[in-house]
Amino acid sequence: MGYLLVASSYPIGTIGQPGPGVYPVVVGALFLLGAVGSAFQARAAPETEIEDWPRGAGARRIVALVAAMAIYALILRIVGHVIAGGLLAFAVMHVMEFGTRRVRAAVAIAVAAASFVLFNVLLGVQLPRGILLP
Amino acid sequence: MSPLEGLAYGFSVALTPENVLAAALGVFLGTLVGVLPGIGPLGAMALLLTVTTQFRADTALIMLAGIYYGSQYGGSTTSILVNIPGEAASVVTTIDGYQMTKKGRAGAALAVAAVGSFIAGSVGLIGVMFFAPVLAQVGVTFGPPEYFAIAALGLLSLSRLTGGSAWNGLLVLGFGLAIATVGLDPVGGVTRFTFGVTELLQGIDLVPVAIGLYGIPEVLMIAQAGASTTSVPGISLRDLMPRREEWRRSLPAIFRGTGLGFAFGVFPGPLPVLSTFASWKLERRLSRRPEEFGKGAIEGVAGPEAANNAATSGQMVPVLALGIPFGPATALLLAALLVQGVQPGPLLLTQRPEVFWGVIASMYVGNVLLLILNLPLVALWVRLLRVPQGLLLAFIVIFVMVGTFADKNSVTDLYFMLALGVIGFTLRRAGFDTAPIILAVVLGPLMENAFRQSLFMGRGDLGIFIERPVTAFLLALVLVVLLGPVLRKAIGTAPRREAAGPGSRA
């Protein structure tokens, strides 16, 4: 509904000269129709348990992983990819309970360094260097 | 240029050292992402879109197409060895493929899948070679109304046929089309839905959308399931040889699957997946030993694998000939063309023949490479399947994050990717199919352009969509797709009322 409201604020034009608002209004109507239809269908359907919905430890792992990726994005330009990537890799292995702390640290450093070499050096992609590699 | 001349020209392009290497890398990476959980072919193709801008258009497309059909083979490997389909199109292969593994015939199943895919891919190539130029010649006569109708049919078919309810399909379709409207309006250049964010002026890029919707949910599902190591049987090269009886039963199934798959593949919708189910059912119906199906019947592997590969070839016809993809993977191939500055459409055949014929010929080269490389590399794939998931996930997450950032050197893209990833995961868990979203994102601007140009052409007369016979026919099919379930329900209840009779309370 929010999308449709914003879409209707753009010029609609005329049917012979449609403006930039026409198509988003049509899309918004489809979107809203689908949403309303899905909602009614879900209400009318018998109560079913969605067995695969995250719960307990699984849900915590998902939240932790998403948070780790968000923190990577936040600190990437500040500390550079090697540090941010290393921390992210360590966090992922920690969430998945892989190896001991030492193993995780060693693998994290290797992964971060290897990805930096692969992207920066071999593929020519400029990854942020941050404070470690000015 | 006749099809044979075109193919010969295509081979001259595809067999350059650069393009052979691109095809080899593509099929290797494709098999790898098909075998490993996490990114998937769509995520891998999206990530490599950035890298391929440094290559020529034909090289870029050859590599990305290699990932696409390589991943089909990789997906079958996990279906056969560990009963986990790597791709939706490999689901059917688990039925008999894994049963063959339990009987100690994993090698034979893998070999038949590889050879069947090779035969199907080669025959499918002949189909592409003849159909694509013909369709391109027809496509030159199409105008904006036809393109709008084809795109609408493709999107609605995919959203309806991927399973789930019509409302769910409409919801995800609307979501994808809405994403595509962010940024500059393609006709007038008016900014829409940017809310003052400069990075949104060019719209939401395809890479964070594809990774967010397809890669991140896979990663989160692995995280949800927790740490595990897959138990995989060992396979030696000696085990790969099927028995004579197995070949005798497989070959007819392979050819039937090829014909079925190609016919499915050229039409809009998730038809590569549907073709595998259709092939399995056909083989069971035709078999003298139908009771073996579900318990390790080799035809149950051979037919669907061939159908899948042939359908993959078939899907290349509309994207090369018309510039309209009918599936998410071919949508990314189209995006690769756009990123390279190549105008897709029916004129691709005449304006960029090296891309058109080079990609077709490279499909054959890629199939040969898949056959040569992947059977000896089975031991490698088996070893990779044994890697602890925690370690695997660390590599995948880093690769995904860096690859997304590298697209435009944008941290904002990372946030979009994560947000779409959470949305994609939620949609998947709630039973929605996210396949139509990426197709909607790629086709959305084309559809809007075609729609508005059609209205300009008609000077406000909506009859332009009905007066042109091709458009009218296609829009009639759109209505059938939209209203089909309602009509089926109405027809289904009518005979029951009639049978009940006048004295009935019904």
Side-chain angles (χ1 to χ4, degrees):
Chain A
M1 204 177 291
Y3 177 88
L4 195 54
L5 274 170
V6 176
S8 56
S9 69
Y10 300 119
I12 300 288
T14 62
I15 195 152
Q17 290 205 321
V22 167
Y23 187 75
V25 163
V26 172
V27 166
L30 273 174
F31 199 1
L32 187 62
L33 197 61
V36 168
S38 287
F40 271 110
Q41 193 164 61
R43 269 194 85 175
E47 284 281 336
T48 50
E49 187 76 24
I50 299 176
E51 291 172 14
D52 283 343
W53 205 256
R55 284 185 191 88
R60 284 193 295 274
R61 279 193 293 271
I62 287 171
V63 170
L65 204 56
V66 172
M69 289 190 275
I71 290 169
Y72 171 88
L74 266 169
I75 66 174
L76 178 63
R77 287 212 188 276
I78 303 166
V79 302
H81 169 70
V82 175
I83 294 178
L87 290 171
L88 176 59
F90 186 92
V92 171
M93 284 183 279
H94 178 75
V95 165
M96 295 298 289
E97 296 170 9
F98 168 74
T100 61
R101 258 188 228 170
R102 265 191 211 164
V103 167
R104 290 174 202 166
V107 171
I109 292 168
V111 166
S115 58
F116 185 83
V117 168
L118 174 67
F119 280 90
N120 231 54
V121 177
L122 293 175
L123 296 175
V125 174
Q126 290 304 310
L127 291 177
R129 291 168 174 243
I131 57 175
L132 183 66
L133 300 167
Chain B
M1 206 190 280
S2 72
L4 285 173
E5 284 167 348
L7 188 64
Y9 175 62
F11 274 116
S12 74
V13 172
L15 290 174
T16 59
E18 193 180 13
N19 284 345
V20 171
L21 194 60
L25 194 60
V27 301
F28 179 80
L29 285 173
T31 312
L32 186 67
V33 298
V35 165
L36 296 175
I39 303 179
L42 296 179
M45 288 167 77
L47 281 175
L48 285 169
L49 265 179
T50 319
V51 172
T52 57
T53 52
Q54 298 177 32
F55 305 147
R56 285 195 324 258
D58 50 313
T59 307
L61 226 65
I62 284 168
M63 185 189 289
L64 292 173
I67 293 175
Y68 176 33
Y69 48 85
S71 69
Q72 307 300 307
Y73 178 78
S76 338
T77 302
T78 55
S79 293
I80 291 166
L81 291 181
V82 292
N83 200 28
I84 298 172
E87 293 304 309
S90 309
V91 167
V92 170
T93 306
T94 60
I95 300 173
D96 282 288
Y98 185 61
Q99 295 303 317
M100 286 185 70
T101 296
K102 284 163 81 173
K103 290 179 180 173
R105 299 300 298 153
L110 288 169
V112 161
V115 171
S117 296
F118 172 74
I119 292 174
S122 305
V123 174
L125 166 71
I126 296 171
V128 176
M129 195 173 96
F130 284 102
F131 279 109
V134 169
L135 190 57
Q137 278 165 9
V138 171
V140 169
T141 63
F142 288 173
E146 283 79 18
Y147 276 101
F148 171 74
I150 294 171
L153 181 63
L155 282 172
L156 277 164
S157 302
L158 188 65
S159 72
R160 280 299 299 127
L161 295 176
T162 42
S165 74
W167 300 117
N168 290 358
L170 210 54
L171 174 65
V172 295
L173 192 63
F175 181 52
L177 289 172
I179 292 175
T181 57
V182 174
L184 289 173
D185 136 50
V187 177
V190 171
T191 56
R192 297 182 302 199
F193 304 100
T194 57
F195 306 110
V197 177
T198 324
E199 273 133 330
L200 287 179
L201 282 176
Q202 298 301 320
I204 299 177
D205 205 62
L206 196 57
V207 171
V209 173
I211 305 291
L213 289 172
Y214 301 103
I216 297 295
E218 293 287 337
V219 165
L220 295 183
M221 283 194 275
I222 294 170
Q224 182 185 345
S228 68
T229 312
T230 315
S231 161
V232 188
I235 309 252
S236 70
L237 275 175
R238 224 175 314 130
D239 295 336
L240 290 174
M241 190 51 71
R243 297 179 192 124
R244 192 178 285 183
E245 168 70 10
E246 286 167 332
W247 281 124
R248 195 189 57 74
R249 289 171 62 174
S250 304
L251 285 171
I254 287 169
F255 284 106
R256 282 190 292 264
T258 300
L260 192 69
F262 188 83
F264 269 69
V266 292
F267 292 104
L271 300 188
V273 177
L274 294 178
S275 72
T276 60
F277 285 95
S279 173
W280 191 86
K281 284 183 180 166
L282 176 68
E283 293 309 317
R284 189 174 62 170
R285 188 170 287 187
L286 294 176
S287 173
R288 284 184 207 153
R289 285 167 275 205
E291 69 283 356
E292 285 185 21
F293 279 72
K295 295 173 188 161
I298 196 149
E299 301 95 317
V301 173
E305 283 300 309
N308 179 26
N309 210 291
T312 303
S313 302
Q315 290 231 304
M316 299 299 286
V317 171
V319 77
L320 287 175
L322 299 177
I324 295 187
F326 285 156
T330 45
L332 285 171
L333 290 179
L334 185 83
L337 282 173
L338 293 169
V339 155
Q340 290 280 342
V342 174
Q343 185 56 41
L347 296 179
L348 187 72
L349 172 63
T350 47
Q351 288 177 348
R352 298 296 295 265
E354 79 284 4
V355 175
F356 188 95
W357 290 111
V359 169
I360 292 175
S362 80
M363 287 163 62
Y364 191 81
V365 172
N367 269 307
V368 171
L369 288 169
L370 272 170
L371 192 64
I372 294 170
L373 290 177
N374 281 331
L375 285 178
L377 288 178
V378 159
L380 172 65
W381 309 132
V382 166
R383 246 183 237 135
L384 281 173
L385 282 170
R386 292 184 181 135
V387 170
Q389 291 205 321
L391 182 60
L392 204 56
L393 212 62
F395 279 97
I396 290 170
V397 167
I398 291 293
F399 189 67
V400 155
M401 297 296 280
V402 175
T404 304
F405 173 82
D407 182 41
K408 286 195 309 200
N409 254 291
S410 163
V411 171
T412 313
D413 276 354
L414 289 177
Y415 295 126
F416 284 141
M417 181 196 73
L418 274 177
L420 286 167
V422 172
I423 292 171
F425 175 77
T426 309
L427 285 172
R428 295 259 296 260
R429 278 290 175 246
F432 290 81
D433 192 323
T434 51
I437 300 178
I438 193 73
L439 192 65
V441 171
V442 174
L443 279 182
L446 179 148
M447 268 186 74
E448 178 173 8
N449 237 342
F451 180 66
R452 287 166 75 178
Q453 283 178 5
S454 302
L455 291 179
F456 282 132
M457 279 168 67
R459 293 197 180 107
D461 182 8
L462 289 174
I464 192 167
F465 291 109
I466 305 169
E467 287 155 9
R468 299 163 77 102
V470 173
T471 313
F473 173 70
L474 292 170
L475 287 177
L477 287 179
V478 166
L479 281 174
V480 167
V481 169
L482 268 176
L483 300 174
V486 175
L487 290 171
R488 243 200 331 267
K489 215 174 177 180
I491 293 166
T493 51
R496 278 203 292 279
R497 284 205 192 110
E498 284 173 11
S504 159
R505 279 181 213 155

